[in-house]
């Protein structure tokens, strides 16, 4: 049973949502809140699985533990009065795992709650494109600032990106058609400019300070077990090394 | 069956100093006796020496290019997996020449942050959910000189997360950056997680606890993981060996008394 808390300033909306959600057998509305402070208090008291909150309240409720890192115990679905770019990006920034317009069809509420409970993100159609667009624009801006801040040249930024992706000096040289020694020379300059002393530190620094794009893990085909003996050698392992 | 490498209980010394902290990429660990990091707290103890022996064996394989990612697991909980992981990571990183990453893959009961007195931050769970880049949540642990990817926030669907192919993405992103990757896995018999994780490791090291882990549990664990994947077993918590050996070991390592003038002449 998924325990849901509804937070919205309008009584009529809360009542309508409660009626709609309680038609789902696996959803239980455990409480309601009408303003930011009561939302914060009731959330901590009732510890719901899902906080269904109006964007306006969500913005006023900081700090409401709606952190993007997901360490808050409840998961958050933000309700929007109007679907526009600004609201979608703001809801996501505040930590929403689901975004729904208040006018969404009854079936969508139960579906969104179930998907968010499964650990997925569930956004209304069109929101994903808006978020990606906003992310790209934001990253391009930050990238430019970071480049200027550390005084890195365009070539150095390219090399940083390759190092952060895990390429060796030789691979970087091959990709840019320059010799390995030149790559090392670039790296020495980069180390001096950003204040690191190793390739690993540079890679972590670059991701953290957004010199390169953060890339969350994507789903890839599983490696087959048959690859293991070729890489490791089954004979030696079976005999035991200790 | 592989030969057994025995390890002894750790002892402690006061917390290490920390004067090297840079914003966000280094975390300052507090090493207490209960951290059981004998390699750091008591480097001249027999227990630390057993880890040197283990390191030597692993380096032999590592230098031949056969071993980089090592999964550490056990048949049942509380056999000492995390203790072995902490000590082995510290041993492999000693000297600072090799970059070592410790991945806490026990999403059910993460303990490394608490053992090292580190504040929690996002980790493997968030990486597998696709919300963060694994490179952005790795921190260097001072003064141990290795890197940590913690489990992150606890998840109700931990086993499902570890079975997603996102794990391949995480490993492929991290592997090129490190010389050694140690994966602290949940136990094998109660959960399927370790079996999923073995796909991404070059080899598996089992941890058993003396006078506690029964042979049948070890046999069953090896059967589940696959005999060809297991490169050895660490026997943890050996005390009888400790008593007979420790005295001679300490006397060998203790500073010799200066010779008197008479002796020199």
């Amino acid at each position: 049973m998924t325990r849901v808390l509804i937070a919205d300033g309008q009584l009529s909306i809360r009542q309508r949502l409660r009626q709609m959600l309680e038609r789902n057998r696996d959803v239980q509305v455990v409480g309601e809140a009408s303003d930011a402070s009561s939302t914060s208090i009731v959330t901590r008291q009732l510890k719901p699985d899902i906080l269904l909150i109006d964007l306006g309240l969500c913005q006023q409720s900081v700090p409401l533990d709606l952190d993007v890192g997901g360490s808050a115990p409840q998961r958050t679905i933000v309700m929007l009065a109007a679907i526009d770019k600004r609201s979608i990006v703001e809801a996501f920034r505040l930590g929403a795992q689901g975004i729904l317009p208040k006018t969404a069809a009854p079936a969508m509420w139960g579906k969104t709650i179930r998907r968010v409970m499964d650990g997925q993100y569930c956004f209304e159609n069109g929101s994903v494109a808006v978020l990606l667009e906003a992310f790209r624009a934001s990253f391009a801006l930050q990238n430019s600032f970071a480049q200027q801040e550390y005084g890195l040249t365009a070539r150095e930024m390219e090399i940083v990106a390759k190092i952060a992706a895990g390429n060796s000096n030789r691979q970087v040289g091959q990709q840019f058609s320059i010799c390995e020694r030149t790559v090392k020379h670039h790296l020495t300059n980069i180390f001096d400019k950003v204040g690191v002393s190793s390739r690993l530190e540079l890679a972590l620094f670059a991701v953290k300070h957004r010199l390169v794009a953060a890339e969350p893990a994507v789903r890839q085909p599983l490696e087959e077990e048959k690859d293991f003996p070729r890489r490791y050698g089954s004979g030696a392992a079976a005999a035991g090394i200790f | 069956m592989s030969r057994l490498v025995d390890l002894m209980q750790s002892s402690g010394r006061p917390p290490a100093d920390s004067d090297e902290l840079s914003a966000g990429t280094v975390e300052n660990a507090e090493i207490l006796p209960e951290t059981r990091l004998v390699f750091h707290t008591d480097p001249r103890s027999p227990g630390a020496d057993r880890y040197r022996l283990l390191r030597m064996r692993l380096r032999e394989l590592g230098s031949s290019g056969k071993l980089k990612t090592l999964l550490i697991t056990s048949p049942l909980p509380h056999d000492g997996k995390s203790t072995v992981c902490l000590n082995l990571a510290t041993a492999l990183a000693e000297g600072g020449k090799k970059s070592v990453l410790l991945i806490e893959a026990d999403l059910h009961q993460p303990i490394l942050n608490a053992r090292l007195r580190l504040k929690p931050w996002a980790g493997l769970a968030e990486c597998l959910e696709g919300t963060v880049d694994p490179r952005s949540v790795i921190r260097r642990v001072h003064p141990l000189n290795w890197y940590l990817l913690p489990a992150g926030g606890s998840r109700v669907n931990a086993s499902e997360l570890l079975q997603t192919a996102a794990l391949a993405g995480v490993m492929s992103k991290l592997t090129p950056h490190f010389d050694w990757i140690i994966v602290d896995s949940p136990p094998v018999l109660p959960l399927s997680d370790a079996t999923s994780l073995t796909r991404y490791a070059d080899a598996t090291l089992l941890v058993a606890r003396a006078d506690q882990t029964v042979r049948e549990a070890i046999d069953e664990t090896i059967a589940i993981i696959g005999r060809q994947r297991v490169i050895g077993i660490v026997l943890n918590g050996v005390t009888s060996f400790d008593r007979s050996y420790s005295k001679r070991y300490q006397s060998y390592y203790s500073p010799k008394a200066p010779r008197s003038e008479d002796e020199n002449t």
Side-chain angles (χ1 to χ4, degrees), chain A residues 135-211:
Chain A
F135 175 75
R136 281 204 191 100
S138 164
F139 176 70
L141 195 63
Q142 286 165 348
N143 196 335
S144 167
F145 284 150
Q147 187 177 350
Q148 287 173 12
E149 185 178 348
Y150 297 105
L152 296 171
T153 65
R155 174 59 96 190
E156 286 169 348
M157 284 294 285
E158 289 173 336
I159 290 175
V160 169
K162 294 295 178 189
I163 296 297
N167 290 282
S168 66
N169 288 356
R170 179 174 293 178
Q171 288 169 325
V172 175
Q174 286 169 349
Q175 289 171 44
F176 293 131
S177 302
I178 55 179
C179 72
E180 207 174 328
R181 198 170 168 181
T182 308
V183 176
K184 284 181 183 172
H185 178 70
H186 280 303
L187 277 177
T188 305
N189 289 338
I190 294 167
F191 286 1
D192 287 344
K193 286 179 180 178
V194 303
V196 300
S197 57
S198 73
R199 298 158 53 83
L200 173 58
E201 280 181 27
L202 176 62
L204 301 184
F205 181 94
V207 175
K208 181 159 186 65
H209 293 82
R210 307 189 180 198
L211 294 175

Side-chain angles (χ1 to χ4, degrees), chain A residues 164 215 220 222 228 231 242, chain B residues 3 133 135 165 200 202 231:
Chain A
E215 295 171 3
Q220 293 182 2
L222 286 169
F228 178 83
R231 292 163 64 199
F242 297 137
Chain B
R3 283 177 55 200
D133 184 321
R135 295 168 301 180
Y200 305 102
D202 297 318
I231 57 167

Side-chain angles (χ1 to χ4, degrees), chain A residues 68-71 75 117-119 121 161 163-167 198-201 203-205 207-209 212-225 228-229 231-234 236-242, chain B residues 2-3 5 23-25 54 57-58 61 66-67 99 126-127 130-136 138-139 147 155-157 164-166 168-170 172-173 176-178 199-203 205 227-233:
Chain A
V68 180
S71 61
R75 297 173 188 202
M117 280 305 292
D118 285 344
Y121 283 76
I163 296 297
N167 290 282
S198 73
R199 298 158 53 83
L200 173 58
E201 280 181 27
L204 301 184
F205 181 94
V207 175
K208 181 159 186 65
H209 293 82
V212 299
E215 295 171 3
V218 292
R219 293 178 183 276
Q220 293 182 2
L222 286 169
E223 287 180 18
E224 292 301 322
E225 288 194 8
F228 178 83
R231 292 163 64 199
Y232 186 69
S234 57
I241 61 161
F242 297 137
Chain B
S2 307
R3 283 177 55 200
V5 172
T25 55
L54 181 57
R57 302 288 195 215
L58 294 173
L61 285 171
K66 292 175 180 173
L67 181 59
S99 54
E126 288 77 9
C127 294
T131 55
V132 296
D133 184 321
R135 295 168 301 180
S136 69
I138 288 172
R139 303 279 187 274
Y147 293 79
R155 294 290 187 273
V156 287
N157 58 340
T164 64
V170 171
S172 67
K173 266 198 169 52
H177 295 289
F178 293 92
R199 294 167 184 265
Y200 305 102
D202 297 318
L205 189 65
R227 193 180 186 86
Q228 78 281 6
R229 292 184 187 278
V230 179
I231 57 167
I233 300 176

Side-chain angles (χ1 to χ4, degrees), chain B residues 35-107:
Chain B
T35 312
R36 295 183 178 277
L37 225 171
V38 63
F39 196 88
H40 179 78
T41 55
D42 196 2
R44 288 189 164 186
S45 65
D49 193 55
R50 298 289 93 183
Y51 282 108
R52 282 191 195 90
L53 176 62
L54 181 57
R55 177 180 68 184
M56 188 182 77
R57 302 288 195 215
L58 294 173
R59 277 179 176 170
E60 284 169 8
L61 285 171
S63 61
S64 61
K66 292 175 180 173
L67 181 59
K68 179 176 192 173
T69 306
L70 180 66
L71 184 84
I72 296 185
T73 189
S74 68
L76 293 164
H78 311 301
D79 285 335
K81 294 178 295 299
S82 298
T83 301
V84 172
C85 286
L86 288 171
N87 281 282
L88 185 56
T90 308
L92 289 168
E94 190 182 41
K97 288 183 180 173
K98 298 292 180 185
S99 54
V100 179
L101 172 66
L102 175 53
I103 299 177
E104 185 176 28
D106 190 342
L107 304 184

